[in-house]
Amino acid sequence: MAQLFVISAPSGTGKTSLIQKVLDEGLASKAKLGVSCTTREKRKNEEEGVAYFFVNEAEFNKKIDEGNFLEYAKVFGNLYGTPRDWVESTISQGFDVILELDVQGAIQVKNTYPDAKTIFIIPPSYEDLRNRLDNRGQDSEKTIEKRLSEAKEEVLSGKDFDYLLTNDDFDLAFMDLKYAMYSNSDINKEREAFTRKCLSHLLDQ
Ligand code: 5GP
């Protein structure tokens, strides 16, 4: 039975690299990564139709009116939506689907598909997240501050997802993600306790 996975994380937590590894390892030979529509500007290294279809706001609103989205949300001032037809047809062809969404989108998908597995990735601490955002060199100080305060909001929503894992170390986090997605056995107890500790630290700040 094909499965639907929804993976969210605060910006800079490393979810895209972790998901890419799931796809590269052939772990998910049966899985396809969703391609969203967005009104955000295309970045230099991006190609139309790979991670996103780039549309203007009028086109996006038309798709909303026509009921084309399984979910949509405004994230960092831009609109993002998941094409409903693509998800439904991919699942009915027997492929697992991985959606990389913000927390608002993940909650909407879970409401429509209660069997979807929602996975939330946390940073080990906000200091670590700040270092990653600094090292990425993509954002201004003002944007980094904004992303950090949004991260706090996201952690509040993401803490109730089906699976929580921490990206403190890429290989360990990848193992946890594999467990969350494809193992029927429990996630490593030690890692689970570590994630609980990190979460409680994040919630205290
Ligand atoms: P970026 O613009 O950096 O690629 O993505 C910004 C945020 O939007 C990320 O958290 C990403 O997971 C989220 N996102 C990407 N596509 C969608 C979508 O179709 N729906 C929702 N709700 N969020 C999305």
Side-chain angles (χ1 to χ4, degrees), residues 75-170:
V75 188
F76 306 129
N78 296 303
L79 291 161
Y80 294 82
T82 307
R84 183 191 299 279
D85 282 359
W86 181 85
V87 172
E88 287 174 355
S89 69
T90 307
I91 287 182
S92 69
Q93 287 162 38
F95 293 98
D96 290 346
V97 164
I98 303 175
L99 299 175
E100 185 184 336
L101 308 180
D102 87 310
V103 287
Q104 310 165 71
I107 291 166
Q108 291 177 57
V109 172
K110 185 74 179 176
N111 286 337
T112 312
Y113 288 102
D115 289 341
K117 281 190 182 176
T118 52
I119 301 170
F120 190 68
I121 307 172
I122 58 172
S125 66
Y126 288 121
E127 296 75 41
D128 179 276
L129 185 59
R130 161 171 276 284
N131 289 339
R132 284 177 199 233
L133 290 169
D134 277 342
N135 293 339
R136 227 166 47 164
Q138 255 182 26
D139 304 309
S140 65
E141 178 57 28
K142 198 170 146 215
T143 306
I144 290 179
E145 285 302 328
K146 194 161 170 262
R147 294 198 172 216
L148 283 169
S149 75
E150 267 151 14
K152 294 187 180 176
E153 294 297 315
E154 286 174 275
V155 169
L156 281 177
S157 308
K159 69 178 175 35
D160 299 322
F161 280 26
D162 297 326
Y163 297 90
L164 271 183
L165 51 105
T166 312
N167 189 9
D168 54 324
D169 170 284
F170 186 82

Side-chain angles (χ1 to χ4, degrees), residues 7-11 15-16 34-38 40-41 43 46 51-52 60 69 71-76 78-83 99-106 108 136 138 147 154:
I7 306 182
S8 295
S11 169
K15 71 173 178 301
T16 306
V35 182
S36 300
C37 286
T38 183
R40 136 161 111 56
E41 291 269 305
R43 296 181 185 133
E46 287 181 319
Y52 293 110
F60 197 99
F69 291 127
E71 64 72 39
Y72 64 91
K74 198 167 214 172
V75 188
F76 306 129
N78 296 303
L79 291 161
Y80 294 82
T82 307
L99 299 175
E100 185 184 336
L101 308 180
D102 87 310
V103 287
Q104 310 165 71
Q108 291 177 57
R136 227 166 47 164
Q138 255 182 26
R147 294 198 172 216
E154 286 174 275

